[in-house]
Amino acid sequence: MRFAFLGPAGTYGEQATRQLAELEGIANPELVPQLGIRAVVQALAQGSCDAAVVPVENSVEGGVTACLDALWEHPDLTVARALVLPIRHALLGSGPIEGVSEVLSHPQALAQCSQWLSEHLPQALQLPTSSTAEAARMVAGSRFRAAVASRQAAAEHGLQELAYPINDVAGNCTRFLLLRRGERAAEGPMASLAFSLHSNQPGALLEALGCFAQRGLNMSRIESRPSKREMGEYIFFVDLELSEGSTPLEAALAELGPLCEHLALFGAYPITNLA
């Protein structure tokens, strides 16, 4: 099987992909790195890969908006499994830390290490890249550049470990989703869905969320994203904890449907926590 992930080699996405493939019982997956989260999803949607692994939420910086938007735009994709992976960032480089004047990494990684960077490298310019491993590749051989990336990326790109760990929150972790093509399941311990309301009326969101509360469905996450059509119009992304059997979820969706302009169940799926 071909798995698309956010590359190049050495990203946390690659680590998550290998773990998820193992959980799926796939012994020798073919890992296909992509440049950007949207490209990861497109590789699956267009059929060049059989599965895709994308980050959806970080415990420090919140939702990964590109993943949420991609799920909304591709109704033919389903969430098959989730994995919570601990994130431990390192500062990597080829020269001494005293000479670092530029720090490169994915914007989320820079944000997750912002306090450490402000204390230890306050004068260094922070430059965003498409992934942590791409940052490691770009700084290889430089005496004044460093990357925020994983220890695995250091080994992949021949870099020295200048400091570890440097993330501001010790319990930093990211939830990754395994996406497949096919029918979206309605049974499993966790479900993800999104909806937009007919109009922005007082109490409209409260009424919609009441469909879950009345059936004892606990929301573990809710996040809003602009619809991109007009100011003040939003799409609401919700994760629900499910008990055995799908009856409460099906009943909630049946009641929620008439309140929504659009309603999409991304799937119900198992989740593994390694953090």
Side-chain angles (χ1 to χ4, degrees):
M1 283 188 61
R2 291 167 59 86
F3 283 74
F5 71 98
L6 179 61
T11 61
Y12 295 100
E14 181 188 12
Q15 296 179 32
T17 301
R18 294 188 183 279
Q19 292 280 356
L20 285 163
E22 183 177 340
L23 289 168
E24 289 286 290
I26 300 168
N28 295 300
E30 181 182 352
L31 272 56
V32 185
Q34 305 291 325
L35 186 61
I37 291 174
R38 283 190 172 274
V40 175
V41 177
Q42 286 293 335
L44 173 61
Q46 295 172 358
S48 61
C49 288
D50 306 296
V53 175
V54 289
V56 68
E57 179 187 20
N58 177 261
S59 60
V60 177
E61 287 301 305
V64 181
T65 57
C67 175
L68 299 178
D69 290 345
L71 282 170
W72 181 256
E73 294 165 6
H74 291 281
D76 55 324
L77 304 185
T78 180
V79 181
R81 185 180 289 271
L83 174 76
V84 179
L85 186 73
I87 304 297
R88 304 291 181 266
H89 294 303
L91 185 72
L92 311 177
S94 299
I97 192 172
E98 295 77 15
V100 172
S101 59
E102 294 181 1
V103 178
L104 285 68
S105 196
H106 188 278
Q108 283 249 347
L110 291 173
Q112 291 161 25
C113 304
S114 60
Q115 183 177 337
W116 190 96
L117 292 171
S118 66
E119 291 177 359
H120 295 85
L121 294 170
Q123 304 302 320
L125 182 64
Q126 297 181 26
L127 301 175
T129 60
S130 61
S131 72
T132 54
E134 177 65 9
R137 185 194 67 79
M138 292 174 67
V139 307
S142 172
R143 303 285 293 179
F144 66 91
R145 281 183 156 186
V148 175
S150 67
R151 283 176 151 176
Q152 180 182 339
E156 291 280 353
H157 300 282
L159 295 170
Q160 302 169 26
E161 186 180 298
L162 306 181
Y164 176 87
I166 67 168
N167 35 283
D168 298 333
V169 179
N172 188 13
C173 57
T174 295
R175 180 160 56 104
F176 289 85
L177 300 180
L178 173 64
L179 306 182
R180 304 283 291 269
R181 291 186 301 275
E183 186 176 347
R184 295 174 168 180
E187 293 187 21
M190 180 75 72
S192 294
L193 58 96
F195 61 88
S196 61
L197 299 171
H198 285 298
S199 60
N200 187 13
Q201 298 284 345
L205 179 58
L206 180 62
E207 183 181 6
L209 299 182
C211 299
F212 307 133
Q214 292 163 13
R215 290 163 180 81
L217 297 173
N218 183 51
M219 289 189 302
S220 58
R221 181 177 69 98
I222 180 171
E223 185 167 345
S224 63
R225 291 280 296 142
S227 69
K228 299 183 174 65
R229 298 193 307 183
E230 61 181 68
M231 183 70 72
E233 186 178 78
Y234 292 93
I235 302 165
F236 299 95
F237 292 83
V238 174
D239 287 340
L240 297 170
E241 296 174 354
L242 305 182
S243 55
E244 291 187 12
S246 60
T247 303
L249 176 61
E250 292 174 346
L253 294 179
E255 184 180 349
L256 179 61
L259 306 177
C260 300
E261 181 181 12
H262 297 290
L263 171 61
L265 174 66
F266 301 137
Y269 50 89
I271 182 168
T272 302
N273 194 335
L274 300 182

